[in-house]
Amino acid sequence: MLKKSLYLPLVCALPLTTYAGNLSTEQHQPSQIKQVFPSKTYFLMAVDNEIKSTIQYDDIGQLLGLPSMTEEDAETVFFGMRKSMLRYAARAWDAGVAVHYGKDVGGMVGLEPADSERFANGGSGVSQFNKLLLFRYAQQYPESKRLLQQYQQRLNQEVAKIEVTPSDFSTYCAQVESYTDFTFYRSLGQLSAAPSRVYSVTKQYEMLPPCKKHHVENLLSSSYSAPSLSDFMMVVSANSDTP
């Protein structure tokens, strides 16, 4: 359990004059649509409740592939993710976009419940989608982004200690798979593309064996300084098609 609620500092950190950012208001005029929430504060409370019901802070380490993550670090990442999501939600409210989602506040920030149609045939997709959301939003908040960078460095150091045996490379791939996944999702989370567009890439990636995942990570890091979504799609698809 968290020692105290994170909601109050999150809401207080979001000024009511938050600018609309890149959200378009031309196609989202709320004048003809009835507002579901009586105020921005109530709307942000609903968004925050949706976040907490979809991603639990004590699952952060597992989603990141870092089961040994400390409780304090998990709280830091969770706080950064929630603050960034609420900042996005505040901008959506100011731009008049939020009113078009009605009570579906989770859909607006990209959250999808486990019982949605997308995941009707199994729960593995929920973890993949939540990974995307976690990495994407946590990296938009300085403190949680810095923490993820620190864990990346630690994983790099651990991988450097593992001896590569050409005769049994598959064992090496299995040992560094957590590093590979962390690097892949962290890079993918830095893209501005909507999580729903990126999800198909993660589905293909998760079906790859460890050595192909490692190959994908090597190709992306060595061939592209800042890989785009099309780069991810091309490399992952190419490895999915090869035997």
Side-chain angles (χ1 to χ4, degrees), residues 24-191:
S24 172
T25 58
E26 294 180 0
Q27 298 179 353
H28 301 282
Q29 296 298 332
S31 58
Q32 303 297 325
I33 302 176
K34 182 179 180 181
Q35 182 64 260
V36 173
F37 299 97
S39 70
K40 184 177 183 179
T41 300
Y42 281 97
F43 169 69
L44 291 178
M45 288 175 65
V47 173
D48 191 51
N49 287 333
E50 188 72 15
I51 294 170
K52 290 186 292 184
S53 65
T54 305
I55 301 179
Q56 305 297 319
Y57 98 93
D58 51 356
D59 293 331
I60 297 297
Q62 181 181 358
L63 287 172
L64 293 177
L66 302 169
S68 60
M69 173 175 270
T70 66
E71 181 178 337
E72 182 181 359
D73 286 350
E75 288 186 13
T76 298
V77 174
F78 190 52
F79 179 89
M81 176 198 71
R82 288 173 64 191
K83 185 168 183 178
S84 296
M85 282 186 170
L86 287 173
R87 182 185 294 118
Y88 177 86
R91 291 175 179 175
W93 177 278
D94 292 340
V97 176
V99 67
H100 289 262
Y101 285 84
K103 293 184 178 181
D104 182 24
V105 295
M108 189 205 62
V109 294
L111 292 167
E112 292 200 47
D115 58 355
S116 67
E117 292 183 8
R118 185 193 298 274
F119 307 126
N121 296 323
S124 61
V126 177
S127 295
Q128 293 172 31
F129 206 76
N130 287 351
K131 281 183 186 179
L132 285 174
L133 293 172
L134 179 59
F135 274 103
R136 176 178 184 175
Y137 285 104
Q139 291 185 93
Q140 293 176 19
Y141 184 67
E143 189 173 349
S144 51
K145 179 180 180 180
R146 184 164 50 249
L147 187 61
L148 291 178
Q149 290 174 334
Q150 292 174 0
Y151 271 97
Q152 175 95 56
Q153 294 171 357
R154 294 180 201 175
L155 286 172
N156 286 339
Q157 294 170 358
E158 292 300 319
V159 170
K161 297 176 184 177
I162 301 174
E163 182 180 353
V164 183
T165 306
S167 60
D168 192 13
F169 190 64
S170 59
T171 299
Y172 172 79
C173 295
Q175 289 179 295
V176 301
E177 186 174 9
S178 61
Y179 160 81
T180 302
D181 288 350
F182 186 94
T183 303
F184 178 83
Y185 277 99
R186 182 166 177 259
S187 299
L188 200 59
Q190 294 173 354
L191 300 179

Side-chain angles (χ1 to χ4, degrees), residues 128 202-209 213 240:
Q128 293 172 31
T202 69
K203 283 199 298 185
Q204 284 185 293
Y205 173 80
E206 290 291 350
M207 294 176 65
L208 297 176
K213 286 184 176 182
S240 299

